[in-house]
Amino acid sequence: MSPPLAPPAAPSPTPRAVHPADLAAWKRAGRRFTMVTAYDHPTAQLLDRAGVPVLLVGDSLGMVVLGHDTTLPVTLRAMLHHAAAVARGASRALLVGDLPFLPARAGLERAARAAGRLLSQGGMHAVKLEGGGPTVALTAHLVARGIPVMAHLGLTPQSVHGLGGWRVQGRGPAARAALGSALRELEDAGAFAVVLEGMPAEVGADLTRATGLPTIGIGAGPGCDGQVLVLHDLIGLTVGPTPRFARAYAEVGAAITRAALTFQEDVAAGRFPDAEHSYP
Ligand code: KIV
């Protein structure tokens, strides 16, 4: 049996369940907020109880949990599996699930069906769609069917090959203007928020000022309305180098290694199990 979870360490921005419209209200009030990725039940419980208002079941799960080089191999089935586990662990956070690479490109109807499954079977409250261009029509299509959409612009990982690698986006006037017009189109299409990823801080701040949409930055500087981190980067569980924008607020990876080493030493030395951990 695991011990009861600790009470929330931080007050939540809202004592009730978080809705998409809350993010716009926080933007208007100048209240910065956070989003964190979650992929399983226990971390969803911990993040929810810590007051994190938005949990993202990101397709980054392909890289940080499943060991792929990109997010492209992530299937709808895998997303549903992880989303449902997260949904069972969170009672208050707004839950957003990524529409993975293939269904997002399968045409409006199939994409809508996949997005609908993220809500009906995965327990998500909203989906996140990467990019502008064809994603604008899909955003409008989903919003018209009652599926809230979070947009995602800049270094969009599902387009990593088209972008020529993991490169900072929005450098130079033309690239900056393209981001601005994509953002306007997504706002008009009915998105309720936008992730801005991998762009100069000045571009993140300019886009944030120019839009009514709450912006959630990751590698987009301090001028965004909110900030998102991948859980494994946030808690120091990423093995190997982390991106420049990531800050580890804990050393969970080191704690796991230490625990595993000590366990082995204790077993080898006959210190575990002791009387306390044995049945009389
Ligand atoms: O998949 C993901 O985790 C994301 C965040 C990095 C925004 O899209």
Side-chain angles (χ1 to χ4, degrees):
M1 280 268 283
S2 37
L5 287 162
S12 155
T14 148
R16 52 157 177 76
V18 178
H19 304 297
D22 289 323
L23 278 55
W26 298 336
K27 178 182 178 108
R28 286 193 299 274
R31 176 169 200 161
R32 293 201 179 95
F33 59 93
T34 58
M35 176 164 87
V36 178
T37 66
Y39 313 101
D40 61 35
H41 184 255
T43 51
Q45 281 182 301
L46 292 167
L47 294 168
D48 193 59
R49 288 168 198 215
V52 177
V54 191
L55 298 185
L56 171 67
V57 184
D59 60 358
S60 52
L61 85 87
M63 300 175 72
V64 296
V65 177
L66 304 178
H68 295 294
D69 287 341
T70 71
T71 60
L72 275 64
V74 175
T75 59
L76 180 63
R77 192 173 170 174
M79 284 299 300
L80 289 172
H81 182 78
H82 288 264
V86 167
R88 286 190 291 271
S91 56
R92 203 191 31 77
L94 175 69
L95 304 179
V96 183
D98 263 326
L99 191 63
F101 176 79
L102 271 183
R105 287 152 183 80
L108 291 184
E109 286 315 321
R110 290 173 78 172
R113 188 173 156 71
R117 287 182 68 191
L118 279 171
L119 270 62
S120 67
Q121 294 167 17
M124 299 291 97
H125 305 136
V127 299
K128 180 163 75 58
L129 305 179
E130 291 190 8
T135 305
V136 174
L138 179 56
T139 300
H141 190 74
L142 297 189
V143 172
R145 282 152 186 79
I147 301 178
V149 173
M150 178 179 282
H152 185 164
L153 288 174
L155 203 186
T156 43
Q158 290 178 7
S159 304
V160 62
H161 300 309
L163 296 175
W166 306 97
R167 293 165 187 277
V168 171
Q169 300 296 302
R171 290 201 195 279
R176 215 168 155 144
L179 282 175
S181 49
L183 182 52
R184 277 190 296 279
E185 288 172 3
L186 289 162
E187 184 170 5
D188 291 346
F192 72 89
V194 60
V195 169
L196 299 180
E197 177 163 358
M199 60 187 67
E202 195 190 316
V203 178
D206 280 353
L207 292 174
T208 299
R209 276 191 294 270
T211 181
L213 288 185
T215 63
I216 311 173
I218 178 161
C224 300
D225 299 306
Q227 296 290 331
V228 51
L229 279 178
V230 166
L231 175 72
H232 291 53
D233 292 340
L234 172 77
I235 64 173
L237 187 51
T238 304
V239 179
T242 52
R244 176 188 169 105
F245 57 75
R247 181 187 283 173
Y249 286 85
E251 294 180 9
V252 172
I256 290 176
T257 306
R258 266 198 311 278
L261 287 171
T262 311
F263 175 48
Q264 293 173 82
E265 285 164 11
D266 281 1
V267 169
R271 286 191 293 267
F272 183 87
D274 52 13
E276 191 193 339
H277 296 95
S278 303
Y279 295 107

